[in-house]
Amino acid sequence: MLIDEKDAEEVERAWARLMPFDKDVLRLYYIWEAPPSLICRRLRIRYRPASVLDLAIAHAKQEIGKALKAICETKSLIEQRQNLAYTACTI
């Protein structure tokens, strides 16, 4: 499986912007693929009702999505500024 270096860099930047709790949620859920009981125990959240864990996962996904969006917007603004043609005012 090939890794797109640009995408990987953007994900790393977004990851750095996350709060520690959101990082832990995403790490346990996606990387470790841990069962819900282990995730709840490690994060010290309630196992029942299941909506507690569901909300934690949804929040973490939302936060990394916001971070990725902010990075892309910043990147596009930088590209737009670089593409502007600066003209000197002549009097």
Side-chain angles (χ1 to χ4, degrees):
M1 182 168 147
L2 297 175
I3 297 174
D4 185 4
E5 294 295 326
K6 289 181 182 180
D7 287 344
E9 183 180 331
E10 288 177 5
V11 171
E12 287 289 329
R13 286 183 184 164
W15 185 263
R17 292 182 178 192
L18 290 178
M19 297 296 288
F21 183 80
D22 293 328
K23 287 181 184 180
D24 291 340
V25 170
L26 294 173
R27 184 181 298 117
L28 289 167
Y29 188 73
Y30 286 109
I31 298 172
W32 289 15
E33 296 179 351
S37 59
L38 177 65
I39 295 172
C40 292
R41 192 175 325 123
R42 295 281 301 214
L43 298 176
R44 297 183 178 146
I45 60 175
R46 295 183 56 174
Y47 182 67
R48 297 277 184 214
S51 61
V52 175
L53 178 59
D54 293 340
L55 287 173
I57 293 169
H59 180 266
K61 286 181 186 180
Q62 183 180 18
E63 290 302 311
I64 198 164
K66 285 181 189 177
L68 285 167
K69 184 176 179 182
I71 289 169
C72 289
E73 288 174 356
T74 304
K75 189 175 178 181
S76 67
L77 286 173
I78 291 170
E79 289 174 357
Q80 287 175 2
R81 286 185 181 176
Q82 289 174 346
N83 292 335
L84 288 177
Y86 291 101
T87 57
C89 295
T90 57
I91 298 178

